[in-house]
Amino acid sequence: GSPLRAIIKGLEVNLKRKISAVRSFKYFETDSTVERTSASEDFYVYPIHFHPESSTSVLSPLYTNEFNNILNISNNLPLGVKLYVKDHMSAFGFQSSEFYRKVSALPAVRLIKPTQNIKTLMLKSKGLITVNSTAGLEALVLGKPVYLLGRVFYQDFPGVSKLEGFSDLPGKLSAPPMEVVDIKNYIIAYRRFTYEGDLRISSWRDKNNKYYDGLASLLLSKVGIESNLL
């Protein structure tokens, strides 16, 4: 498309995001409130995802509506347990102020600023409930159980309870949590099945053709196409 039109569209999106962020900030819990309540009440952490993104749109398409996720999770929590909904730093403001207002109005939910340290929250929590956020891996490293709605690379790690849907939550949360073991060996094993690459777009000119030939051959082999046939 037109570069000028793309630039104008980008400016419009950023302006709308800024306006939404300013209007929405009043719906978030203050830092002092979070520090006080997190020390005295039981809660689970739910990280809001960035949308659109392949992790949700492709791997977990049933869970792309964040308000629906938050509403159904909070409705299935044990009595007296809170859900700390932590906004994504890169996504803050993309949702409308009405979205944040509705989330903050849910009785079992506390809306947490994107600037809050999610690891600190997880250490104080009973665990993490997520679609497929990489925060789940961080929770496992910290020794916290993870309740998983979607699909993700760490889904078969110890400490992960896979959910068929929101209705699974009451039974899973009332059961004794799975023992979270040292997952170092699982991370090492997973890495052995990965391939080195560079996702930094800014460095693509610095690579020679052999890098891209090797990458293309690897991708083709994974979908069952022999590169020498092309």
Side-chain angles (χ1 to χ4, degrees):
S2 166
L4 179 59
R5 191 172 300 170
I7 293 172
I8 293 174
K9 180 65 175 178
L11 291 173
E12 289 177 350
V13 169
N14 284 328
L15 179 60
K16 289 180 180 178
R17 180 185 180 186
K18 182 66 175 178
I19 293 173
S20 175
V22 171
R23 289 177 175 175
S24 306
F25 211 70
K26 61 185 177 182
Y27 299 119
F28 288 81
E29 301 278 358
T30 64
D31 293 345
S32 58
T33 298
V34 173
E35 184 176 355
R36 184 183 72 255
T37 60
S38 63
S40 60
E41 65 185 4
D42 291 335
F43 67 94
Y44 291 91
V45 177
Y46 175 82
I48 292 180
H49 294 71
F50 185 90
H51 298 278
E53 194 173 53
S54 62
S55 61
T56 48
S57 300
V58 176
L59 294 178
S60 305
L62 297 179
Y63 303 104
T64 56
N65 186 316
E66 286 292 352
F67 182 74
N68 183 65
N69 295 345
I70 296 165
L71 174 64
N72 282 285
I73 292 171
S74 64
N75 283 344
N76 284 285
L77 291 177
L79 186 65
V81 176
K82 293 285 188 179
L83 184 67
Y84 281 36
V85 176
K86 166 70 167 56
D87 201 7
H88 195 295
M89 179 64 77
S90 299
F92 177 50
F94 281 119
Q95 302 277 8
S96 67
S97 59
E98 178 65 10
F99 165 83
Y100 294 111
R101 185 195 67 78
K102 291 195 300 181
V103 170
S104 66
L106 295 173
V109 169
R110 294 190 185 278
L111 187 56
I112 309 300
K113 295 177 183 176
T115 52
Q116 280 277 350
N117 189 317
I118 192 170
K119 298 179 185 64
T120 300
L121 289 175
M122 287 191 293
L123 284 170
K124 297 179 180 179
S125 75
K126 294 174 67 67
L128 186 91
I129 304 172
T130 182
V131 175
N132 56 9
S133 172
T134 51
L137 180 63
E138 295 176 342
L140 294 174
V141 171
L142 295 172
K144 293 294 181 176
V146 174
Y147 302 88
L148 186 69
L149 286 161
R151 292 188 296 143
V152 71
F153 68 91
Y154 59 80
Q155 63 188 29
D156 293 314
F157 284 19
V160 177
S161 294
K162 289 188 281 189
L163 307 170
E164 294 298 325
F166 300 114
S167 59
D168 278 359
L169 270 170
K172 294 286 188 180
L173 297 182
S174 62
M178 296 177 62
E179 181 183 2
V180 181
V181 302
D182 184 353
I183 64 167
K184 178 173 58 180
N185 289 336
Y186 293 84
I187 296 174
I188 293 172
Y190 182 79
R191 191 186 187 288
R192 288 174 177 169
F193 283 89
T194 63
Y195 297 88
E196 287 194 21
D198 190 347
L199 296 178
R200 292 175 297 175
I201 297 174
S202 60
S203 64
W204 72 271
R205 285 191 176 90
D206 300 331
K207 296 179 173 58
N208 57 38
N209 289 337
K210 288 184 178 180
Y211 172 81
Y212 295 105
D213 289 343
L215 184 61
S217 297
L218 175 63
L219 293 173
L220 291 171
S221 70
K222 289 299 181 184
V223 294
I225 301 175
E226 294 293 336
S227 58
N228 57 9
L229 296 179
L230 299 180

